[in-house]
């Protein structure tokens, strides 16, 4: 038996037509058994929390409901089950809305949902949610659900749940569940597995990557899988695109989840054919006794102004503006004031834009007045009193609230994981019978280094790919190479110390290196780089999406044989 499971959404706001494309793109012989959609990121939970404050019937991804206007009928006609975490903070509300939609369309869809992830929220907390596993989804599907919507589950649970239902795996089928977790992690971000955000994109025809198709997995009963996509769609699936996604927002060899802890150091990737990558060998262990939980709260208010500095004396102009704004705010300064000068200017520039640099000011405070009128007034009053050529990229606004994401851990047994079946029956989902405390895997012995030879100064990215992302206030950067000799060099060359040298922003932060020889990869975790998380927008690149590309652009001494 093979479970063909696809993905049609990697985030809230992803390609709207992807549901239709995935339901119709496989043809009569290559259709899907299950179509999933991932709509929940850390920032999304904050957005949904604010929606719920305004409207108690809201709190779910409305885009998904609009997609189901067409998707419900298409899925019913093709016998495809739909599983999505679009329920957000109100999966019961989304399930009710789907039933109303199905009645209006005349589609006999059986709707179920999973709840219990919402935790008691303390003062100032908009949303507190535990990350549930796939067992509740499996229970809904086993009861005949055509559509299952959930609140906060792990991204991989959208695959482990259908797999448990389809293959009948028990909670201690650790290797099989771990294989499904790895496949689910590859699928969860949609087109990032098919050539999107891919470091080596220049290896491929630009036309192929213009509109990547969404990925699907052919999952087998032993937990192995083949990652592919519908025939005729854009993009590419190869060992590199799958490796990149496996490293995205992960860390060490043990990848913990509520269903199982997957051993990423056991993963084997094989190019089976064009746009077909086999994943096998994945080993699993009992899950940890606790569940990760995400807490979203309002952190205060923020505002920003970007001053444009043009032509000569850029540094002096920046110093003048900083001093003038500082004087204006001195009587009641915001709690947090950050300046950043971005030297986008060029000498003897042929256009005014390329002659200009950007001076960015970000302020934060609990008092909206301190980031509102006080700042906007100070900036506007410099229009005729500031540096020569004074102007800003946009008129200063009044400021806006910002959010903070925090991670906590709760005992799995304290979370009332519940499957609400199509007939309304509420079924408690038991905690997995076994658990294992999470401990780091010791770093394996490094490969034999390359023998000494001539080197050339060149960007790291000439031989290494990278993908980076965020987990709360931390950033992760996965770096991999495509050959054994390149791995023998990278494993010794890119130490934590060298990483810090190449990315000076990380010098004063805790950096942890994880070694994954089977993927020829290093995964770095940078603690605290993103402050209080993406919603706080503490950094120019608040989700660290381009941190890996910055690393690839830095110059290092590379053996000439690798170039």
């Amino acid at each position: 038996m093979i479970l063909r499971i696809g993905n049609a959404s990697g985030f809230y706001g992803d390609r709207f037509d992807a549901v239709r494309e995935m339901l119709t793109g496989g043809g009569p012989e290559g259709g899907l058994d299950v179509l999933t959609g991932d709509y929940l990121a850390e920032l999304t939970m904050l957005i949904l929390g604010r929606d719920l404050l305004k409207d108690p019937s809201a709190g779910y991804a409305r885009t998904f409901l609009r997609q189901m206007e067409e998707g419900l009928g298409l899925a019913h006609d093709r016998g495809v089950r739909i599983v999505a975490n679009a329920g957000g903070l109100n999966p019961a509300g989304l399930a009710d809305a789907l039933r109303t939609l199905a009645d209006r369309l005349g589609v006999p869809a059986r709707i179920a949902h999973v709840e219990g992830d919402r935790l008691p929220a303390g003062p100032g907390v908009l949303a507190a949610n535990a990350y549930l596993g796939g067992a509740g989804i499996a229970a809904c599907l086993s009861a005949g659900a055509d559509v299952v919507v959930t609140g906060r589950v792990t991204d991989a649970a959208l695959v482990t749940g259908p797999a448990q239902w389809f293959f009948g795996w028990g909670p201690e089928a650790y290797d099989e569940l771990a294989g499904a977790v790895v496949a689910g992690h590859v699928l969860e971000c949609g087109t990032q597995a098919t050539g999107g955000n891919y470091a080596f994109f220049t290896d491929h025809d630009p036309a192929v990557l213009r509109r990547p198709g969404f990925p699907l997995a052919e999952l087998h009963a032993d937990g192995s899988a083949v990652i592919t996509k519908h025939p005729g769609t854009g993009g590419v699936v190869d060992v590199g695109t799958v490796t990149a996604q496996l490293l995205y927002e992960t860390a060490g060899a043990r990848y913990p989840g509520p269903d199982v802890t997957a051993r990423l150091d056991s993963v084997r990737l094989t190019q089976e054919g064009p746009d077909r990558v086999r994943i096998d060998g994945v080993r699993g262990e009992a899950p940890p006794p606790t569940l990760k939980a995400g807490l979203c709260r309002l952190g205060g208010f923020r505002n920003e102004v970007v001053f444009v500095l043009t032509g000569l004396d850029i540094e002096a102009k920046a110093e003048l503006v900083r001093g003038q704004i500082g004087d204006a705010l001195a009587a009641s300064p915001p709690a947090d004031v950050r300046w950043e000068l971005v030297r986008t200017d060029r000498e003897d520039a042929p256009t005014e834009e390329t002659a200009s640099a950007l001076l960015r000011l970000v302020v934060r405070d609990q008092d909206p007045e301190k980031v509102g009128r006080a700042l906007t007034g100070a900036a506007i009053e410099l229009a005729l009193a500031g540096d020569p050529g004074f102007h800003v990229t946009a008129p200063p606004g009044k400021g806006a609230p910002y959010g903070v994401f925090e991670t906590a851990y709760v005992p799995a047994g304290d979370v009332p994981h519940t499957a609400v079946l199509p007939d309304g029956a509420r079924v408690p989902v038991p905690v997995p019978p076994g658990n294992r405390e999470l401990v780091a895997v010791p770093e394996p012995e490094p490969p034999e280094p390359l023998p000494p030879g001539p080197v050339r100064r060149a960007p790291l990215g000439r031989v290494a790919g990278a993908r980076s992302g965020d987990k709360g206030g931390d950033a992760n950067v996965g770096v991999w190479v495509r050959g054994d000799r390149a791995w023998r060099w990278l494993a010794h060359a890119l130490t934590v110390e060298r990483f810090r040298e190449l990315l000076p922003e990380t010098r004063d932060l805790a950096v942890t290196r994880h070694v994954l020889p089977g993927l020829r990869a290093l995964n770095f975790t940078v603690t605290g780089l993103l402050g209080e998380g993406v919603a706080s927008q503490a950094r120019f690149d608040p989700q660290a999406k381009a941190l890996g590309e910055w690393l690839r652009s830095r110059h290092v001494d590379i053996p000439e044989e690798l170039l």
Side-chain angles (χ1 to χ4, degrees):
M1 295 193 302
I2 297 177
L3 171 64
R4 289 178 57 86
I5 185 165
N7 172 279
S9 177
F11 66 99
Y12 191 9
D14 209 343
R15 188 188 305 167
F16 187 87
D17 292 338
V19 168
R20 177 177 51 79
E21 292 170 7
M22 290 301 289
L23 288 173
T24 62
E29 301 300 324
L32 300 173
D33 299 299
V34 177
L35 179 63
T36 68
D38 180 9
Y39 292 79
L40 301 184
E42 293 169 1
L43 180 61
T44 311
M45 300 302 283
L46 180 71
I47 294 170
L48 295 178
R50 293 172 62 180
D51 288 348
L52 199 60
L53 282 179
K54 299 174 186 175
D55 179 1
S57 69
Y60 56 79
R62 296 182 184 274
T63 299
F64 174 77
L65 190 60
R66 295 201 304 272
Q67 289 172 309
M68 290 300 101
E69 291 270 355
E70 181 183 20
L72 276 181
L74 289 173
H76 178 265
D77 292 344
R78 289 161 173 76
V80 180
R81 313 284 183 114
I82 294 177
V83 178
N85 61 12
L89 300 178
N90 189 8
L94 177 56
D96 287 341
L98 286 167
R99 292 186 189 98
T100 300
L101 175 63
D103 289 343
R104 176 166 62 81
L105 297 175
V107 177
R110 294 162 292 185
I111 313 296
H113 73 275
V114 177
E115 61 185 32
D117 59 294
R118 294 197 69 181
L119 304 174
V125 177
L126 283 177
N129 298 78
Y131 288 70
L132 302 179
I137 296 170
C140 292
L141 293 172
S142 296
D146 300 302
V147 181
V148 183
V149 292
T150 76
R152 179 38 105 186
V153 296
T154 64
D155 301 336
L158 300 176
V159 172
T160 63
Q164 290 174 73
W165 156 70
F166 190 82
F167 295 115
W169 296 336
E172 294 181 294
Y174 295 138
D175 291 346
E176 293 87 346
L177 286 167
V181 164
V182 170
H185 185 67
V186 174
L187 295 187
E188 70 181 55
C189 287
T191 53
Q192 279 196 167
T194 58
N197 292 345
Y198 183 49
F200 295 119
F201 76 101
T202 56
D203 289 355
H204 304 282
D205 181 350
V208 172
L209 299 180
R210 194 166 295 162
R211 187 180 173 86
F214 277 69
L216 63 93
E218 298 171 357
L219 194 61
H220 296 257
D222 63 356
S224 64
V226 172
I227 305 298
T228 184
K229 60 187 184 68
H230 282 324
T233 58
V236 61
V237 179
D238 63 18
V239 168
T241 66
V242 173
T243 299
Q245 181 55 28
L246 277 177
L247 296 174
Y248 181 65
E249 296 181 350
T250 58
R254 286 192 166 103
Y255 183 51
D259 297 307
V260 67
T261 293
R263 290 293 297 259
L264 299 183
D265 56 349
S266 65
V267 175
R268 293 195 303 258
L269 302 179
T270 308
Q271 193 76 42
E272 188 179 79
D275 294 320
R276 292 180 63 84
V277 172
R278 176 169 292 279
I279 302 174
D280 60 16
V282 185
R283 304 303 301 269
E285 299 169 345
T290 57
L291 299 180
K292 176 183 173 181
L295 281 65
C296 296
R297 60 177 175 83
L298 291 178
F301 298 85
R302 73 180 297 279
N303 203 351
E304 72 173 73
V305 183
V306 180
F307 302 89
V308 183
L309 312 177
T310 305
L312 304 176
D313 306 317
I314 295 295
E315 298 285 349
K317 289 173 179 175
E319 184 178 358
L320 175 60
V321 173
R322 282 194 292 259
Q324 290 177 310
I325 293 292
D327 290 344
L329 300 179
S332 184
D336 184 34
V337 178
R338 302 187 187 191
W339 292 92
E340 184 173 12
L341 177 61
V342 184
R343 296 299 301 264
T344 53
D345 56 302
R346 305 176 195 171
E347 187 175 354
D348 194 22
T351 66
E352 182 178 337
E353 187 170 3
T354 56
S356 300
L358 301 177
L359 178 64
R360 181 172 178 250
L361 167 63
V362 178
V363 296
R364 291 182 177 80
D365 201 280
Q366 294 294 319
D367 183 353
E369 290 295 321
K370 288 188 177 182
V371 304
R373 293 178 184 175
L375 176 65
T376 57
I380 290 170
E381 288 169 6
L382 292 185
L384 304 179
D387 67 284
F390 176 92
H391 64 287
V392 294
T393 57
K398 63 180 180 179
Y402 71 88
V404 172
F405 180 87
E406 297 174 351
T407 298
Y409 292 88
V410 296
D414 291 352
V415 178
H417 190 174
T418 304
V420 184
L421 307 183
D423 63 2
R426 301 176 61 83
V427 178
V429 178
V431 174
N435 64 72
R436 175 175 178 169
E437 292 288 347
L438 189 68
V439 295
V441 175
E443 184 167 312
E445 286 295 320
E448 182 183 356
L450 287 182
V455 299
R456 188 189 317 162
R457 196 79 173 166
L460 174 64
R462 291 289 174 258
V463 296
R467 179 166 288 167
S468 55
D470 65 307
K471 280 294 183 185
D474 301 341
N476 113 275
V477 185
V479 185
W480 82 96
V481 289
R482 298 182 288 184
D484 289 338
R485 292 188 70 79
W487 171 239
R488 289 170 59 184
W489 170 75
L490 182 73
H492 294 275
L494 194 56
T495 62
V496 167
E497 293 73 20
R498 190 71 178 113
F499 182 92
R500 285 195 175 110
E501 291 172 2
L502 295 173
L503 303 184
E505 286 185 47
T506 70
R507 280 179 179 163
D508 298 325
L509 300 173
V511 177
T512 305
R513 187 178 97 147
H514 308 279
V515 181
L516 299 170
L519 299 176
R520 301 191 191 99
L522 304 171
N523 217 349
F524 293 88
T525 301
V526 185
T527 303
L529 180 69
L530 306 179
E532 295 176 303
V534 55
S536 69
Q537 298 183 16
R539 189 175 176 273
F540 166 70
D541 175 17
Q543 289 183 281
K545 295 293 188 182
L547 191 64
E549 286 302 293
W550 178 26
L551 178 67
R552 293 182 70 236
S553 74
R554 298 307 308 270
H555 286 222
V556 296
D557 292 330
I558 300 175
E560 286 192 352
E561 67 166 283
L562 302 180
L563 296 169

